[in-house]
Amino acid sequence: MLAGKTVVISGATGMIGAFLIDVLMRKNSTEGLSCKVVALGRSAVKAKARLPYFGRDHFSFEEGLVTASGYRPVAPADYVLHLASSTHPRQYATDPIGTIRANVDGLQNLLEYSAGCGARLLFASSVEVYGQNRGDVERFTEGYCGNIDCNTLRACYNESKRLGEAMCQAYRSQRGVESVIARIARVYGPTLLPDDSKALSQFMHHSLAGEDVVLKSEGTQRFSYLHVADAVSGLLHVLLLGADGEAYNLADEGSDVALKDLAALVAEVGQVKVVFDLPDAQEAAGYSKATLALMDGSKAKGLGWIACYGIADGIRATMEQMSQAG
């Protein structure tokens, strides 16, 4: 379905965007897909360090701020994936305005662009739209309405994701834009960035450096995680096969885990210990208050999507790849 098509990807140097581009360029190389990849990002220098495709056929990079007023990619596209977003606690705490703008202004620009060229758009949303489990369900289905305190600094992320979803519906109705929504579990994998302040990222960086894994709570929270390879596979299923206007959870029961068990797994792989330490005020301001956030991924699996990594295998594979990369 992507053969000979043009795909525009915002957030091209992020953990998911970079992996997705790797997949598409690999398919171009090995299977003659001839899919033109247009990567959007703020820095060509950063993109060249992250994406080794400059100068190759079927790849182009457009430097610019997707949130800038009136921003539009240059060439028309068949598919658009809006992946650009702040994705970790320190960003939420230090740049809440930028977090909101990526999920709202950036999305509006790409929805306008999609309306103009007839592209189908995928908005990368998040498990965070559900907020805290009220105790009335074990897992979040796509129809769960959520429980979020909007009057907090931390709400910059989950409320702007919720607004982004509503914007997709508005542009479907008023401008005829085909759009689908992927609500993604907590993602990890070898393309995570060194400055990522999410708990699992910090666990792995400490462990690989021979340092103890620092747990900044009792670790009783239970969350759904997803290896980046499975996230990208899920995004492609939703983009190409998802019903127009529908939202799909990308999560798998094999990657549900309590935070303390996750820390122990990472520590075991790195042969270090788990220690407990409370976060500073700035860091704590960016943390989710959710203690139970498990997702039901059966709707996406109905599209034929299958996750390949359980949490234990995924963590081991990720840390091995990160170690080899130095």
Side-chain angles (χ1 to χ4, degrees):
M1 295 175 72
L2 291 174
K5 303 297 185 181
T6 297
V7 179
V8 166
I9 300 169
S10 71
T13 60
M15 177 167 60
I16 297 176
F19 198 103
L20 173 59
I21 291 171
D22 286 342
V23 168
L24 296 179
M25 293 303 292
R26 175 75 172 179
K27 290 289 186 181
N28 281 338
S29 175
T30 62
E31 298 182 20
L33 188 66
S34 297
C35 175
K36 182 179 179 182
V37 176
V38 180
L40 309 181
R42 290 176 292 181
S43 168
V45 172
K46 182 178 179 180
K48 287 178 180 178
R50 184 80 157 157
L51 303 168
Y53 308 113
F54 282 72
R56 295 196 192 181
D57 291 340
H58 305 112
F59 177 84
S60 62
F61 178 79
E62 294 186 18
E63 185 177 46
L65 292 174
V66 72
T67 57
S69 178
Y71 174 86
R72 302 287 185 275
V74 175
D78 299 291
Y79 298 101
V80 176
L81 294 99
H82 183 41
L83 309 181
S85 179
S86 300
T87 58
H88 59 90
R90 285 205 180 274
Q91 285 182 320
Y92 308 151
T94 60
D95 188 20
I97 295 172
T99 298
I100 292 170
R101 292 197 65 200
N103 293 328
V104 178
D105 295 346
L107 175 60
Q108 182 179 20
N109 284 335
L110 292 181
L111 283 166
E112 288 285 352
Y113 165 74
S114 298
C117 65
R120 178 178 171 93
L121 179 141
L122 180 145
F123 176 51
S125 187
S126 168
V127 59
E128 300 256 11
V129 300
Y130 297 115
Q132 173 69 292
N133 192 316
R134 297 189 298 266
D136 52 346
V137 297
E138 179 183 3
R139 296 180 180 279
F140 300 138
T141 63
E142 289 80 359
Y144 192 74
C145 293
N147 180 24
I148 296 173
D149 182 356
C150 64
N151 192 29
T152 65
L153 176 66
R154 182 59 172 72
C156 67
Y157 181 72
N158 43 32
E159 289 289 5
S160 60
K161 286 292 189 185
R162 287 163 67 101
L163 177 55
E165 293 194 15
M167 289 170 63
C168 289
Q169 295 298 335
Y171 272 82
R172 283 185 66 247
S173 174
Q174 198 166 337
R175 300 292 299 280
V177 176
E178 276 196 31
S179 60
V180 285
I181 295 161
R183 295 174 180 162
I184 311 172
R186 289 167 168 81
V187 178
Y188 68 95
T191 50
L192 62 84
L193 296 166
D195 63 349
D196 192 320
S197 62
K198 290 192 291 290
L200 178 52
S201 175
Q202 294 188 60
F203 292 169
M204 290 192 286
H205 283 301
H206 281 291
S207 181
L208 288 170
E211 302 170 1
D212 291 336
V213 171
V214 180
L215 191 58
K216 299 197 173 187
S217 68
E218 294 181 0
T220 56
Q221 308 95 311
R222 285 184 56 81
F223 299 138
S224 293
Y225 288 85
L226 199 62
H227 189 282
V228 65
D230 290 325
V232 165
S233 172
L235 288 175
L236 290 171
H237 275 79
V238 173
L239 175 70
L240 300 174
L241 302 174
D244 181 24
E246 290 294 308
Y248 296 84
N249 288 340
L250 294 183
D252 180 74
E253 291 185 19
S255 289
D256 293 343
V257 64
L259 196 59
K260 62 181 179 180
D261 295 331
L262 184 61
L265 174 60
V266 173
E268 179 185 355
V269 174
Q271 298 182 327
V272 296
K273 297 182 298 182
V274 176
V275 297
F276 294 81
D277 183 35
L278 294 178
D280 59 42
Q282 182 183 78
E283 192 171 9
Y287 284 169
S288 170
K289 303 300 182 185
T291 57
L292 180 64
L294 303 179
M295 303 170 76
D296 183 337
S298 58
K299 185 176 177 181
K301 291 176 182 177
L303 301 177
W305 174 63
I306 300 173
C308 295
Y309 285 97
I311 190 65
D313 290 341
I315 291 296
R316 291 190 185 97
T318 294
M319 292 181 67
E320 179 180 339
Q321 290 169 302
M322 291 172 65
S323 178
Q324 290 173 352

